Amino acid sequence: MDILHAQLTAIQRRLAFVQTDPIDWRTQVLVFSWGICLFESYLLLRQYPLYSKSTPPTVLAEHFTPQVFEKSQRYGKDKAQFSIVSGLYKQFIDTLQLASGLYYPWAWRASGQLLGLAGYGPEYLISQSVLFVFLLSFTSTLPTMPLGLYQTFVLEERHGFNKTTLALYFADMLKGWALGIVIGTPLLSAFLYIFEWAGDRFVPWIMMLLLVFQLSMVILYPTVIQPLFNKLSPLREGELRTRVETLASRLKFPLKHLYEIDGSKRSSHSNAYFFGLPWSKHIVIFDTLIKQSQPEEVEAVLAHELGHWYHLHPTKLLLVSQLHLFTILALFPAFLNAPPLLRSFGFPESVAARPPPIIAFFLYQMLLTPLEAVVGMALNAISRRFEYEADRFACDLPAILHADSASEKDRDAMKDMGTRLGRALVSLHAENLSTVWVDWLYSAYHHSHPTLTERLKALGEYGSEGLGKTETKKEQ
């Protein structure tokens, strides 16, 4: 721990200028945010002409009827137009809040006044900080609420995807706010208490807190939180259940429960995922996926998902996220006690002289905006690699089962898994009217999955020469 603290202290010394130099941080944040907004608009302008193409890519020509392709293009074009307008609108709101130099100081002052109404003074710093965060969250939601309503009840409705009623929409919003208070209050309080308790040695303790929270949410979200919004029911008996349970058994996947979720309650988009502890996993399949695909195709989708488990992708992503978090926290001490930072954003000297940790961290995150955009693209690249590995896993199932001494009958049943997965992907893209012409740079920035054409091309390659490589890997 002392070695770690020494290294962090060295980093802080290199960034000591932050605590003394009168840098115009607010202008830099405005430049950063506008730069990213314009870059994202540029990506949309690169993508937009592709929605005018009249035929799908050659590899998809046999799978997309002209009518489905035309609907997909219209849906993509409408979403792109909405993204451009909503992105610029949100940026305009953010600019007003930042340029005025009034919004964030007002939120801190108002949180103190609310605390005073309850009979508590400024010495209750953690309580005021929690109120500050909730006040910012609530007031920043209001200007963008019309965008969410338009997206759900106009854009998604126009293309036949919305199943949400207005009452359900606002009920979900209220539930989300309530959950934010119930979960966010103790988490944020513990986060801020560590700064008081650990002083400048807070980094490992903050990381430990957030890691425990992440692992807890792996269990709590699907078992406690998601049931507040959707109904999870045991998957009914039948061919699909038999296929999934057999697949899990063959792969020694520790399946405990198999659920169907009523995703159609809100949207006709489909999905499937698994969650749980290493020794107890649960698979959730959207009812829309069951309706849109054949049982053998749903089995192939789940084979892909089990590929993520087999290759430890969730664990690897967790480790990457911890490295990312450590980098952020390692640089933060220099900004924690930086009065010029707060003064630059309009906070009075009485607050800036002893910066509250929550304000310093909030402003520090704004400064990281351009870095986080780059990190996001890097994480997309990692995620894409994992998606290819999971696809290959589905294709390599006969070899994997052979390495595990499965019967020849079991291996034969899996030989066409790659073909089935390809059919399932095409079917899902057609049902969801997903974009099939995608600009490479737009995709690299926005998408954590390869495009459909990229995945189908890779599946074709795996089917021709992929079998046996996983077997060799296991024998080693």
Side-chain angles (χ1 to χ4, degrees):
M1 194 75 76
D2 288 338
I3 295 175
L4 174 63
H5 180 64
Q7 296 299 318
L8 293 174
T9 301
I11 294 174
Q12 187 173 358
R13 282 198 296 267
R14 289 180 175 273
L15 296 173
F17 67 91
V18 172
Q19 301 177 4
T20 56
D21 293 0
I23 300 171
D24 189 357
W25 295 109
R26 182 170 56 178
T27 298
Q28 292 199 28
V29 168
L30 281 169
V31 172
F32 292 158
S33 62
W34 269 105
I36 290 177
C37 177
L38 294 176
F39 178 68
E40 291 178 350
S41 299
Y42 163 72
L43 293 179
L44 283 166
L45 293 176
R46 286 176 59 102
Q47 173 66 25
Y48 194 77
L50 298 179
Y51 296 121
S52 297
K53 286 183 175 287
S54 57
T55 57
T58 304
V59 69
L60 299 176
E62 297 180 0
H63 306 289
F64 275 71
T65 66
Q67 294 80 9
V68 170
F69 178 71
E70 183 184 357
K71 289 180 180 178
S72 169
Q73 292 291 80
R74 288 203 307 267
Y75 183 44
K77 183 177 290 188
D78 284 353
K79 287 196 299 181
Q81 292 171 348
F82 174 76
S83 295
I84 290 176
V85 173
S86 62
L88 290 173
Y89 173 76
K90 290 176 182 177
Q91 182 61 33
F92 177 71
I93 296 297
D94 291 343
T95 300
L96 285 179
Q97 292 172 346
L98 280 169
S100 67
L102 300 174
Y103 177 60
Y104 300 111
W106 165 83
W108 181 254
R109 185 172 61 255
S111 62
Q113 291 170 346
L114 289 173
L115 196 65
L117 293 176
Y120 298 98
E123 67 274 13
Y124 289 88
L125 184 62
I126 291 179
S127 299
Q128 184 175 355
S129 299
V130 171
L131 283 173
F132 171 72
V133 171
F134 288 151
L135 190 59
L136 283 180
S137 299
F138 177 73
T139 55
S140 63
T141 298
L142 296 179
T144 58
M145 190 178 295
L147 296 177
L149 290 168
Y150 178 88
Q151 183 175 21
T152 301
F153 294 103
V154 178
L155 192 146
E156 294 292 311
E157 184 82 28
R158 179 187 302 155
H159 294 278
F161 290 115
N162 178 48
K163 306 297 180 184
T164 304
T165 64
L166 195 62
L168 184 59
Y169 181 90
F170 282 106
D172 285 349
M173 182 181 296
L174 293 175
K175 288 178 185 178
W177 286 345
L179 283 170
I181 294 172
V182 171
I183 298 175
T185 299
L187 175 65
L188 186 56
S189 298
F191 178 82
L192 295 170
Y193 176 75
I194 288 175
F195 286 105
E196 293 185 358
W197 170 72
D200 59 357
R201 294 174 178 258
F202 64 84
V203 173
W205 301 105
I206 292 289
M207 290 196 64
M208 190 180 303
L209 169 69
L210 296 180
L211 178 60
V212 169
F213 175 74
Q214 285 178 287
L215 296 177
S216 300
M217 290 304 295
V218 169
I219 302 171
L220 292 177
Y221 177 78
T223 57
V224 177
I225 298 174
Q226 188 160 39
L228 296 174
F229 300 89
N230 294 94
K231 181 182 178 182
L232 277 75
S233 306
L235 183 65
R236 59 186 177 273
E237 297 292 337
E239 180 185 356
L240 178 58
R241 185 179 185 93
T242 300
R243 282 179 175 272
V244 175
E245 290 178 339
T246 301
L247 177 63
S249 176
R250 287 169 178 168
L251 295 172
K252 298 180 176 60
F253 179 77
L255 178 62
K256 185 172 180 64
H257 290 115
L258 183 56
Y259 294 112
E260 176 182 345
I261 187 171
D262 62 341
S264 59
K265 182 179 180 181
R266 289 170 175 79
S267 172
S268 58
H269 292 295
S270 52
N271 197 6
Y273 63 90
F274 70 88
F275 68 92
L277 299 169
W279 57 87
S280 177
K281 299 290 187 181
H282 312 270
I283 292 177
V284 179
I285 308 174
F286 279 55
D287 58 350
T288 46
L289 178 61
I290 296 173
K291 294 174 184 176
Q292 294 168 3
S293 305
Q294 297 299 317
E296 63 270 18
E297 294 174 351
V298 179
E299 180 189 18
V301 172
L302 292 174
H304 165 92
E305 294 300 322
L306 294 185
H308 290 304
W309 163 77
Y310 184 87
H311 289 291
L312 301 177
H313 291 159
T315 301
K316 292 174 182 177
L317 286 174
L318 180 62
L319 293 175
V320 170
S321 71
Q322 294 307 300
L323 177 61
H324 179 212
L325 177 62
F326 175 78
T327 304
I328 292 174
L329 293 176
L331 299 176
F332 178 54
F335 296 84
L336 178 58
N337 299 299
L341 175 63
L342 274 69
R343 288 198 297 268
S344 177
F345 284 87
F347 284 91
E349 185 62 37
S350 58
V351 177
R354 298 184 61 185
I358 191 61
I359 297 178
F361 192 75
F362 183 78
L363 300 180
Y364 168 66
Q365 284 185 302
M366 290 186 184
L367 300 178
L368 295 178
T369 301
L371 176 62
E372 290 300 290
V374 175
V375 170
M377 290 186 70
L379 292 176
N380 281 344
I382 294 172
S383 177
R384 285 162 168 262
R385 179 187 178 98
F386 289 170
E387 292 302 318
Y388 282 127
E389 288 183 354
D391 282 350
R392 180 153 201 155
F393 171 85
C395 293
D396 284 358
L397 271 175
I400 295 168
L401 293 173
H402 177 69
D404 290 334
S405 301
S407 69
E408 184 176 350
K409 181 181 179 181
D410 287 343
R411 297 197 300 273
D412 288 342
M414 300 293 170
K415 281 186 177 179
D416 66 338
M417 191 66 77
T419 303
R420 283 191 264 155
L421 178 58
R423 289 203 310 266
L425 292 174
V426 170
S427 176
L428 290 175
H429 274 69
E431 291 289 342
N432 294 328
L433 300 182
S434 301
T435 300
V436 293
W437 285 107
V438 186
D439 175 74
W440 71 271
L441 185 57
Y442 178 90
S443 182
Y445 184 84
H446 285 290
H447 296 164
S448 60
H449 287 52
T451 64
L452 177 59
T453 52
E454 290 170 336
R455 292 182 72 176
L456 291 179
K457 179 181 178 181
L459 284 171
E461 294 173 353
Y462 302 155
S464 62
E465 54 81 32
L467 297 181
K469 293 203 172 184
T470 304
E471 178 182 359
T472 303
K473 178 181 176 182
K474 288 204 73 168
E475 288 174 349
Q476 292 174 347

